[in-house]
Amino acid sequence: MVTISEKGYPLVSADDPKTLVSTDWLAAHLSDPDLRILDGSFYLPTEDRDPRAEYDAAHIPGARFVDINEISDARSELPHMVPPVEKFISRMRSLGVGDGHQVVVYDGAGLFSAARLWWLFKLMGKSDVAVLDGGLPKWQAEGREVEDLPPVIRDRHITVQRQAHLIKDVTQVAAASKIGTPQIVDARSAPRFRGEEPEPRAGLRAGHIPGALNVHYKSLLNDDSTMKETDALRAVFEEAGVDLKKPVITSCGSGVTAAILSLALERLGHGQHSLYDGSWTEWGSYGDLKVATG
């Protein structure tokens, strides 16, 4: 049963195993036999960080490492595109993640790439998946236990039902840009969105998809990289001109931080959001697609 606020909005628990859980929640459930914890850390090349090495040095007890660059479509020239269903199944089984498991995903930035892995699970029809609010930095700042031991993995069957409505390709996004619906919301920073800063990937034009709105993903987070309360999230979207009663396509540089917007929309009970997987890396490289600036 969904509780509704006085303003008619659905109220989401601070600990929701289908979207976001606190470090207190994870600590209380750490020994649950059907809990699976995944380290989905990913960093931009400019950050000069090695997520696998950091995982090997220290991770939440029992956590398994997932490389979003590896669990992707190797046939695509675009970075970390959604993998074929068969590859997702294979990688999850090798990690001992399957049906009946409650999955919690975290990353070493606080709340960054973990949302992408959450969205990928959701795309594959798995709903019992949550992001750890504040991630590994908050966990460690609170003095909680970490380890450097490899997990004991047992194969587990996993059933997948791809939810095609949660993902959009360039043709669908181009149609939305032209028609004006669904709304396209870009998670990149305002200077990148306006075309005032060059893109970090070589060869990409600067600017944004015509008609898109801008909600920088960091505007949805607190200073400690935890996600803001739902009323604050709603205010950020509305101040950017997003109509939360209408469908939304989230986008960003390469489909990672767009998932933070998707997670926030899910927290708000917005059931009509999808993600543009190719994002600006795809759009900005096609010379025949229009680009807006300013």
Side-chain angles (χ1 to χ4, degrees):
M1 180 177 179
V2 177
T3 304
I4 305 298
S5 72
E6 293 180 358
K7 295 183 179 180
Y9 301 129
L11 294 174
V12 180
S13 169
D15 285 318
D16 175 21
K18 296 183 184 298
T19 56
L20 198 70
V21 294
S22 66
T23 51
D24 284 341
W25 185 97
L26 182 57
H29 291 269
L30 203 57
S31 298
D32 289 3
D34 283 330
L35 177 72
R36 294 293 179 269
I37 306 170
L38 301 179
D39 183 329
S41 298
F42 163 83
Y43 305 109
L44 298 174
T46 53
E47 295 180 89
D48 194 28
R49 293 179 65 176
D50 183 336
R52 178 69 206 213
E54 292 184 16
Y55 165 84
D56 289 339
H59 53 262
I60 294 175
R64 299 108 198 267
F65 181 75
V66 180
D67 183 347
I68 67 171
N69 281 323
E70 195 283 326
I71 188 171
S72 64
D73 188 350
R75 302 166 299 181
S76 176
E77 295 180 356
L78 298 171
H80 38 256
M81 293 285 282
V82 167
V85 167
E86 297 76 16
K87 185 173 185 178
F88 178 83
I89 290 173
S90 173
R91 296 300 184 271
M92 288 305 110
R93 291 192 66 169
S94 70
L95 291 168
V97 177
D99 296 340
H101 283 150
Q102 169 64 53
V103 177
V104 174
V105 187
Y106 73 87
D107 62 54
L111 205 169
F112 183 65
S113 56
R116 168 71 185 196
L117 197 51
W118 166 83
W119 173 81
L120 180 57
F121 270 96
K122 189 173 176 64
L123 176 66
M124 296 297 176
K126 312 308 288 184
S127 60
D128 294 328
V129 182
V131 172
L132 179 62
D133 203 15
L136 185 62
K138 189 171 190 293
W139 181 269
Q140 291 184 299
E142 294 167 349
R144 301 185 189 273
E145 181 185 1
V146 294
E147 65 182 17
D148 59 3
L149 302 173
V152 176
I153 293 177
R154 296 179 179 86
D155 187 277
R156 179 97 161 222
H157 177 75
I158 184 169
T159 305
V160 167
Q161 292 184 318
R162 196 173 188 272
Q163 307 296 302
H165 64 282
L166 293 177
I167 188 170
K168 292 290 185 287
D169 61 24
V170 66
T171 301
Q172 293 168 309
V173 174
S177 172
K178 183 177 181 180
I179 299 170
T181 184
Q183 303 163 99
I184 302 168
V185 186
D186 192 321
R188 294 176 299 156
S189 68
R192 285 179 65 190
F193 179 82
R194 294 193 296 261
E196 298 168 355
E197 289 183 355
E199 285 296 306
R201 290 179 174 83
L204 295 184
R205 296 170 295 167
H208 61 267
I209 300 167
L213 302 169
N214 185 211
V215 176
H216 188 203
Y217 76 91
K218 287 187 177 180
S219 68
L220 302 173
L221 307 178
N222 298 307
D223 291 341
D224 62 354
S225 292
T226 55
M227 185 163 278
K228 291 180 176 179
E229 298 293 332
T230 52
D231 284 346
L233 294 177
R234 187 173 291 108
V236 171
F237 280 109
E238 290 177 345
E239 288 170 11
V242 179
D243 187 340
L244 292 172
K245 296 179 181 179
K246 296 181 179 180
V248 170
I249 299 172
T250 63
S251 181
C252 61
S254 63
V256 175
T257 58
I260 299 175
L261 271 59
S262 299
L263 178 62
L265 290 168
E266 191 77 6
R267 293 281 292 170
L268 293 175
H270 189 291
Q272 295 179 289
H273 59 84
S274 54
L275 185 147
Y276 174 24
D277 200 23
S279 283
W280 192 251
T281 300
E282 181 175 42
W283 190 281
S285 65
Y286 285 174
D288 57 342
L289 292 174
K290 292 183 180 179
V291 169
T293 55

